[in-house]
């Protein structure tokens, strides 16, 4: 039976005086990859930032693990078990890879070390460049560091914003493979413009348009629905 | 040769005092984007409260501790009452902290009286060493030593402790730090308190060095500290040390050779940095 890990209902978000999200609602089942799709400027990033409490909603509710987290500040949202990988990756450029990871580690117990071991197996590059400043990593390595770091934060849910952005196709492939593996460990909300990649690892999708959720369904249904793809995603 | 040494020691000592003020300022700005023009007020309060305790107890050490405690208390109050309501708004920050600076300055006159107060080095730090034909004034060496010590301790905390790691990360990207489960407001309050304590320490150390303290000294040193923060790179701790020494030395040598330029030289240094390297000599922002 399916349990809902994250649920957004009737979300309205303002940034300064601009009304960005009008009515965003969706459910994220535990253990699945839920993909948010939509054109540039549709409100995907703002939706993730609203969940994190970085741009809090003025209306509606965000429920995580049955708890209302709508009004929590970002650090409390993170402590509830949500890891965030922002669009720009948010790597601390002057800190080493190891230090970047350590910022996210609230504890140093056995379960943290297990997580660390697992994630370094998934991204061996991070081990190789452990003492290198994050700012000197390649784009793909930065993306991996951002994902690994978010996972270290005891996360049950990862919010990943356009991990393929600006990466060469072969690197995208690698990043997507690792996200596929992350799926074994956590639930994932993925914002992705690369439809091919999204359809490969996504289970369920929601389409945002002009700050509203306008469509939802199973990823494999969307693959066949040419008119929907054309209308909201500009894919012929 | 002895003249050169004397000017250099003088400049280093002044530089260290400015560093005590600027190091807090640069971290406060780097971490939370807060422009705190009241910082000089804490410096002056450190001087007056420290000298008062020093006179009362006869112990310079206890006087220094008194100044530090004053700095910590005023730091908490300032962060809570003055800074917290104006996070994220530079114009409001400038107005309210400048206003608070004046309040702190006037309160000094109310509490300690309107006249300048004299201060002397404690017995053990009076006088000088003679090295060949170079005379080294003990108290100035003492200031340099304390400055170096503060740098070393703070550097260690920044590099080797978890709080330090969070501060360094926060200077680069405070949103990301929060998104990783860290209450940056709390960390900032600690940094603000530490910065205030260092400013107060600078104030009490200045007292026997200049021989006299007065309410306006806070503003004078705060201006130098802001210049140092710009030159060193906003948010860069090590940058603030180098820039402070640079400004201290420039001031000392200019005051001797071209006195009419001694104030202008720091402004010129800052202008040169703003033109040729606007991010400062040791910028932390923007990656590697
Ligand atoms: N700080 C801001 N101030 C004003 N408007 C903003 C701000 N940030 C985003 N917006 C606007 O909000 C809308 C949604 O932006 P958002 O970044 O959430 O879109 P997105 O779906 O992530 O787009 P992209 O695919 O380009 O990343 C856009 O119209 C954008 O211009
Ligand atoms: Mg976006």
């Amino acid at each position: 039976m399916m349990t809902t890990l994250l649920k957004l209902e009737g979300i309205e978000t303002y940034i300064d005086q601009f009304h960005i999200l009008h009515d965003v609602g969706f459910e994220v089942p535990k253990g699945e990859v839920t993909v948010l799709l939509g054109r540039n400027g549709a409100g995907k990033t703002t939706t993730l930032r609203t969940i994190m409490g970085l741009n809090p909603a003025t209306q509606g509710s965000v429920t995580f693990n049955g708890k209302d987290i709508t009004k929590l500040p970002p650090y409390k949202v993170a402590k509830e078990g949500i890891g965030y990988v922002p669009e720009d990756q948010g790597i601390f450029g002057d800190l080493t890879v190891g230090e970047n990871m350590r910022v996210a580690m609230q504890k140093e117990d056995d379960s943290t070390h297990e997580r660390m071991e697992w994630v370094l197996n998934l991204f061996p590059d991070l081990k190789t460049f452990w003492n290198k400043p994050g700012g000197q990593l390649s784009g793909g390595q930065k993306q991996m560091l951002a994902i690994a770091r978010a996972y270290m934060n005891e996360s049950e849910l990862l919010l990943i914003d356009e991990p393929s952005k600006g990466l060469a196709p072969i690197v995208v492939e690698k990043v997507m493979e690792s996200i596929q593996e992350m799926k074994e460990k956590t639930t994932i909300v993925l914002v992705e413009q690369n439809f091919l990649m999204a359809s490969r690892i996504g289970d369920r999708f929601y389409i945002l348009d002009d700050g509203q959720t306008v469509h939802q369904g199973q990823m494999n249904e969307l693959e066949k629905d040419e008119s929907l793809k054309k209308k909201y995603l500009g894919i012929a | 040769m002895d003249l050169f040494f004397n000017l250099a020691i003088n400049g280093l000592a002044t530089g260290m005092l400015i560093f005590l003020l600027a190091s807090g300022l640069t971290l406060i700005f780097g971490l939370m984007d807060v422009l705190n023009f009241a910082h000089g007020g804490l410096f002056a309060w450190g001087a007056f409260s420290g000298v008062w305790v020093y006179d009362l107890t006869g112990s310079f050490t206890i006087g220094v501790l008194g100044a530090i405690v004053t700095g910590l208390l005023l730091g908490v109050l300032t962060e809570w009452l003055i800074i917290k309501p104006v996070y994220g708004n530079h114009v409001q920050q400038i107005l309210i902290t400048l206003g608070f600076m004046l309040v702190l300055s006037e309160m000094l006159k109310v509490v300690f009286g309107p006249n300048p107060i004299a201060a002397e080095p404690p017995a053990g730090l009076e006088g000088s060493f003679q090295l060949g034909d170079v005379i080294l004034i003990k108290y100035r060496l003492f200031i340099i030593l304390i400055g170096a010590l503060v740098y070393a301790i703070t550097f260690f905390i920044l590099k080797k402790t978890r709080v330090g790691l969070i501060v360094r990360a926060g200077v680069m990207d405070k949103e990301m730090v929060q998104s990783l489960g860290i209450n940056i407001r709390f960390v900032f309050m600690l940094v603000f308190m530490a910065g205030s304590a260092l400013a107060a320490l600078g104030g009490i150390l200045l007292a026997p060095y200049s021989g006299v303290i007065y309410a306006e000294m806070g503003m004078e040193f705060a201006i130098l500290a802001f210049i140092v923060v710009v030159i060193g790179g906003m948010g860069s701790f090590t940058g603030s040390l180098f820039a402070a020494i640079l400004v201290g030395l420039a001031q000392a040598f200019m005051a001797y050779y071209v006195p009419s330029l001694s104030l202008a030289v720091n402004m010129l240094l800052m202008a040169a940095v703003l033109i040729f390297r606007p991010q400062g000599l040791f910028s932390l922002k923007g990656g590697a």
Side-chain angles (χ1 to χ4, degrees):
Chain A
M1 110 134 230
M2 179 197 105
T3 45
T4 301
L5 184 62
L6 177 79
K7 187 171 178 183
L8 275 71
E9 276 176 302
I11 291 292
E12 304 206 9
T13 299
Y14 286 78
I15 300 181
D16 302 325
Q17 74 273 34
F18 305 106
H19 198 167
I20 310 286
L21 301 184
H22 301 273
D23 180 18
V24 171
F26 57 84
E27 290 188 25
V28 176
K30 202 170 179 137
E32 288 193 2
V33 174
T34 302
V35 181
L36 298 185
L37 299 163
R39 297 170 201 275
N40 290 111
K44 307 178 294 292
T45 296
T46 308
T47 300
L48 296 192
R49 289 177 58 86
T50 295
I51 299 169
M52 285 311 295
L54 293 164
N55 293 130
T58 48
Q59 295 274 316
S61 68
V62 183
T63 316
F64 179 66
N65 257 336
K67 182 174 170 181
D68 183 359
I69 61 164
T70 321
K71 300 278 179 230
L72 292 188
Y75 80 95
K76 286 194 176 161
V77 173
K79 280 197 165 159
E80 288 294 320
I82 302 184
Y84 181 42
V85 181
E87 207 165 354
D88 67 0
Q89 300 153 353
I91 299 301
F92 306 116
D94 286 350
L95 302 192
T96 64
V97 169
E99 286 174 329
N100 266 278
M101 296 286 277
R102 274 203 288 124
V103 174
M105 287 162 60
Q106 306 277 350
K107 292 187 285 237
E108 293 250 1
D109 55 11
D110 287 351
S111 90
T112 315
H113 289 159
E114 262 169 48
R115 271 174 182 264
M116 179 74 97
E117 205 163 304
W118 186 82
V119 89
L120 287 183
N121 258 337
L122 186 59
F123 302 116
D125 276 11
L126 298 184
K127 224 186 306 189
T128 313
F129 298 116
W130 193 251
N131 291 314
K132 193 170 172 173
Q136 290 175 16
L137 297 178
S138 74
Q141 289 163 344
K142 276 186 189 155
Q143 194 58 255
M144 292 170 194
L145 174 56
I147 294 171
R149 188 180 61 182
Y151 175 71
M152 284 316 293
N153 193 32
E154 313 248 335
S155 303
E156 268 183 84
L157 171 69
L158 290 186
L159 311 176
I160 308 180
D161 200 346
E162 287 198 52
S164 67
K165 199 178 178 184
L167 300 183
I170 183 153
V171 184
V172 171
E173 182 73 22
K174 231 170 117 187
V175 170
M176 288 300 162
E177 270 168 28
S178 25
I179 292 178
Q180 188 112 40
E181 287 211 37
M182 297 292 302
K183 208 175 147 178
E184 307 288 310
K185 297 276 178 181
T186 67
T187 306
I188 292 170
V189 173
L190 180 68
V191 169
E192 189 48 70
Q193 302 265 35
N194 184 329
F195 185 75
L196 211 65
M197 290 301 161
S199 60
R200 238 179 56 197
I201 58 178
D203 296 301
R204 170 187 302 257
F205 73 90
Y206 287 85
I207 296 180
L208 295 188
D209 196 50
D210 196 17
Q212 276 181 299
T213 23
V214 291
H215 250 282
Q216 59 163 302
Q218 295 298 123
M219 206 69 219
N220 49 21
E221 293 162 20
L222 179 61
E223 275 172 67
K224 295 172 215 133
D225 196 332
E226 298 301 332
S227 69
L228 198 60
K229 280 200 276 187
K230 194 163 184 172
K231 184 165 176 209
Y232 292 113
L233 308 174
I235 310 168
Chain B
M1 200 55 190
D2 54 336
L3 175 66
F4 176 83
F5 265 103
N6 268 324
L7 290 177
I9 298 265
N10 226 343
L12 268 179
T14 310
M16 285 305 191
L17 291 175
I18 303 171
F19 163 67
L20 290 178
L21 206 55
S23 55
L25 213 50
T26 203
L27 289 179
I28 287 167
F29 181 83
L31 198 56
M32 291 303 271
D33 250 343
V34 168
L35 290 165
N36 178 21
F37 282 92
H39 209 60
L42 299 168
F43 182 80
W45 267 87
F48 276 85
S49 62
V51 167
W52 183 75
V53 174
Y54 176 24
D55 285 344
L56 204 69
T57 60
S59 159
F60 186 63
T61 312
I62 298 179
V64 168
L65 290 178
I68 291 176
V69 170
T70 307
L72 289 173
L73 292 178
L74 273 178
V76 176
L77 273 178
T78 310
E79 202 269 340
W80 194 51
L81 293 174
I82 307 292
I83 305 289
K84 202 168 255 182
V86 294
Y87 275 131
N89 188 325
H90 282 161
V91 176
Q92 287 182 5
Q93 284 165 12
I94 292 171
L95 292 176
I96 195 168
T97 58
L98 266 179
F100 190 58
M101 168 80 216
L102 295 177
V103 172
L104 283 175
S105 221
E106 291 308 306
M107 284 302 288
L108 273 179
K109 294 176 188 163
V110 172
V111 175
F112 297 100
N115 300 318
I117 292 175
E120 280 178 6
L125 296 172
E126 272 172 332
S128 55
F129 299 112
Q130 180 107 22
L131 269 183
D133 53 356
V134 181
I135 294 169
L136 299 170
I137 295 172
K138 280 188 196 167
Y139 191 74
R140 291 182 188 168
L141 295 177
F142 171 72
I143 290 180
I144 296 169
L145 188 75
I146 296 286
L149 213 60
V150 165
Y151 175 77
I153 292 171
T154 313
F155 187 83
F156 177 84
I157 292 174
L158 284 173
K159 283 284 182 194
K160 295 289 175 204
T161 67
R162 176 155 177 85
V163 171
L165 179 67
I166 291 169
V167 170
R168 285 185 294 143
V171 168
M172 282 176 256
D173 187 343
K174 59 173 179 276
E175 254 188 11
M176 197 61 230
V177 167
Q178 296 178 80
S179 304
L180 293 172
I182 291 149
N183 182 359
I184 199 148
R185 288 273 169 103
F186 178 71
V187 175
F188 176 67
M189 199 194 71
L190 294 180
V191 169
F192 199 93
M193 282 175 67
S196 303
L198 288 183
L201 173 64
I204 176 69
L205 290 181
L206 172 70
Y209 176 63
S210 65
V212 63
I213 55 177
Y214 47 96
E216 288 76 19
M217 65 188 246
M219 202 56 182
E220 289 167 17
F221 265 77
I223 290 170
L224 289 176
F226 263 100
I227 292 175
V228 160
V229 168
V230 171
I231 292 178
M234 303 217 181
S236 167
F237 176 69
T238 298
S240 72
L241 176 72
F242 280 92
I245 289 174
L246 187 68
V247 165
L249 288 174
Q251 181 127 323
F253 280 90
M254 280 305 196
Y256 186 80
Y257 291 108
V258 203
S260 56
L261 269 185
S262 79
L263 276 178
V265 64
N266 290 315
M267 292 293 179
L268 291 175
L269 269 175
M270 179 169 80
V273 166
L274 284 176
I275 291 167
F276 296 109
R277 207 178 142 79
Q279 73 275 37
L281 298 179
F282 287 76
S283 172
L284 275 176
K285 305 231 167 185

